[in-house]
Amino acid sequence: MVINFAAGPAKLPEEVLKEVQTNLLDCNGSGISVMEMSHRSSNYAKIQETAINDLRELLNVPSNYKILLMQGGGTGQFAAVALNLIGITGTADYVITGSWSSKAAKEAAQYGKVNAVLPKVDRYTSVPRQSTWKLDPKASYVYYCDNETVEGVEFDFVPEIPAGVALVADMSSNFLSRPIDVSKFGVIFAGAQKNIGPAGTTVIIVREDLIGKHMKITPSILNFELMDKNASLLNTPPTFGIYVMGLVFKWIKRNGGVEGMAKLAASKSKLIYETIEQSNGFYYCPLDANVRSRMNVPFRIGSATGNDALEKEFLAKAEAEGMIQLKGHRSVGGIRASLYNAITFTETQKLASLMLNFYKNNKN
């Protein structure tokens, strides 16, 4: 059996994949695959509407928020958020705590003034407390990435921002892994390929009063207002991806909802971090304990800079035991275990067991 610890595209629940397999040639009695289905058909309309309604239920999304399904992934939303919102005042605050928020800030700077509320650092290992932030009360919005997939930094709080300023969160890699109060946000977005479905679909939850604030240069495909008016059907949506995502939402509902996912995430990540901490420095995680991600656990072997030979040996042993895609992101190296919702506790135990045995055999 293969266990996929990839950071994205990531593992999907096995029972969802089996359901997709069963219905691949005949989706919901239509006689055709969902991949052949017209996005204007009543059959597809039911699929998309059900997925959106289930998501609204899972997160208790207030009625004054719209749920849009768009393409372009998180990177597309780096531009879309700025194009739709930065024109309100011409400036935006960006809380840069890792690679993805840094890229988002660079993208937004093409469309308005970007204020980096934190000083630039060489390595992202923490989330400075909000009392140190330099927020602009005239900003159109405050942007942050709730979970930095590369560095493994996850916010342990929701920022408090000035009245009248929208809070925007990239939740691509921890979406539906813990309860959130949607009413605290102006925009939440998440690429599906990490925690809720295959690559190709992006979920956007946007407060109604922020729709229609876009710049004139905003492309139609990134325009929140046009997407809302056309029920996310302005262009052909990624129908297959939305279908699978809808099945994942059903799976989450069957398994305790977002609260159930949060409990599972806490137990899985605790197991791996305890294995690291109990290794007497053999495994090293550079992150402040309070912001260690429950989704992406990066670590090195031997020291803070790692031991290339031991890390290669560890990755080879992992693959021999069916645990794949544990190599760290190319920008930071080392090892990274992504523990998304579809990863089971039993699978996490197998990784912890490998880590323990490898430590015992190589600690000297």
Side-chain angles (χ1 to χ4, degrees):
M1 183 183 75
V2 171
I3 306 172
N4 183 8
F5 288 102
K11 178 181 176 174
L12 288 163
E14 185 175 342
E15 64 185 80
V16 168
L17 291 175
K18 287 181 177 178
E19 188 172 355
V20 171
Q21 183 183 46
T22 299
N23 294 289
L24 191 62
L25 300 182
D26 182 1
C27 182
N28 298 337
S30 65
I32 59 173
S33 171
V34 67
M35 291 183 283
E36 306 169 284
M37 202 175 280
S38 168
H39 60 294
R40 306 290 181 187
S41 68
S42 60
N43 280 329
Y44 176 72
K46 291 176 184 177
I47 291 171
Q48 180 163 306
E49 289 168 8
T50 299
I52 290 174
N53 289 338
D54 282 341
L55 177 57
R56 188 174 289 277
E57 180 184 338
L58 281 166
L59 285 178
N60 194 25
V61 178
S63 60
N64 64 322
Y65 283 74
K66 297 297 183 72
I67 297 176
L68 309 177
L69 303 178
M70 297 171 65
Q71 298 179 62
T75 302
Q77 288 305 306
F78 296 168
V81 164
L83 286 164
N84 281 277
L85 300 181
I86 206 167
I88 296 173
T89 67
T91 185
D93 286 342
Y94 275 72
V95 186
I96 300 173
T97 55
S99 300
W100 292 112
S101 50
S102 177
K103 290 179 180 180
K106 289 178 182 178
E107 182 72 33
Q110 298 182 84
Y111 312 111
K113 180 183 176 182
V114 166
N115 171 44
V117 306
L118 297 172
K120 189 174 182 180
V121 295
D122 292 329
R123 297 176 66 201
Y124 300 105
T125 60
S126 67
V127 176
R129 300 300 89 178
Q130 197 171 332
S131 60
T132 67
W133 297 8
K134 296 181 179 179
L135 295 173
D136 180 358
K138 296 182 180 179
S140 299
Y141 59 91
V142 176
Y143 181 108
Y144 76 108
C145 180
D146 201 39
N147 185 83
E148 292 279 3
T149 317
V150 173
E151 291 84 5
V153 174
E154 184 173 30
F155 270 69
D156 60 332
F157 64 94
V158 175
E160 297 288 338
I161 59 174
V165 179
L167 182 62
V168 176
D170 174 0
M171 294 188 178
S172 292
S173 55
N174 64 354
F175 194 60
L176 294 188
S177 71
R178 62 184 179 188
I180 55 172
D181 182 354
V182 175
S183 68
K184 291 184 177 182
F185 299 85
V187 177
I188 296 168
F189 71 84
Q193 71 275 12
K194 297 179 181 296
N195 225 8
I196 57 171
T201 308
T202 312
V203 172
I204 296 91
I205 303 174
V206 54
R207 204 173 64 224
E208 286 180 339
D209 64 293
L210 296 174
I211 295 174
K213 308 291 186 182
H214 53 275
M215 302 172 73
K216 289 183 179 180
I217 62 169
T218 305
S220 297
I221 199 170
L222 298 179
N223 187 313
F224 290 168
E225 184 176 38
L226 286 177
M227 279 293 175
D228 177 40
K229 286 182 177 178
N230 289 275
S232 299
L233 298 171
L234 178 71
N235 63 319
T236 306
T239 54
F240 179 72
I242 291 170
Y243 164 68
V244 178
M245 189 171 64
L247 297 181
V248 173
F249 295 160
K250 295 286 189 189
W251 175 83
I252 292 174
K253 290 175 70 175
R254 292 194 300 271
N255 287 274
V258 179
E259 293 80 6
M261 297 298 106
K263 290 179 182 178
L264 180 61
S267 62
K268 291 184 298 187
S269 57
K270 180 183 178 182
L271 177 61
I272 299 303
Y273 285 121
E274 285 184 346
T275 303
I276 292 171
E277 293 302 320
Q278 293 167 7
S279 71
N280 297 312
F282 181 79
Y283 295 113
Y284 176 81
C285 178
L287 307 172
D288 289 357
N290 62 310
V291 294
R292 288 180 173 178
S293 172
R294 301 160 306 121
M295 299 288 102
N296 312 102
V297 182
F299 59 94
R300 304 302 301 255
I301 295 178
S303 69
T305 55
N307 180 311
D308 286 343
L310 279 177
E311 288 174 353
K312 287 179 180 178
E313 184 181 346
F314 177 90
L315 291 169
K317 284 187 177 296
E319 191 158 342
E321 294 185 25
M323 289 174 275
I324 64 170
Q325 302 202 74
L326 282 162
K327 187 175 181 180
H329 190 272
R330 60 186 178 278
S331 65
V332 295
I335 297 160
R336 173 178 54 176
S338 292
L339 308 175
Y340 296 129
N341 287 347
I343 294 289
T344 67
F345 186 75
T346 299
E347 290 170 335
T348 309
Q349 286 178 310
K350 187 172 182 180
L351 174 60
S353 178
L354 169 66
M355 292 173 67
L356 181 60
N357 290 334
F358 192 81
Y359 159 63
K360 289 178 178 179
N361 291 331
N362 293 279
K363 60 183 178 181
N364 296 322

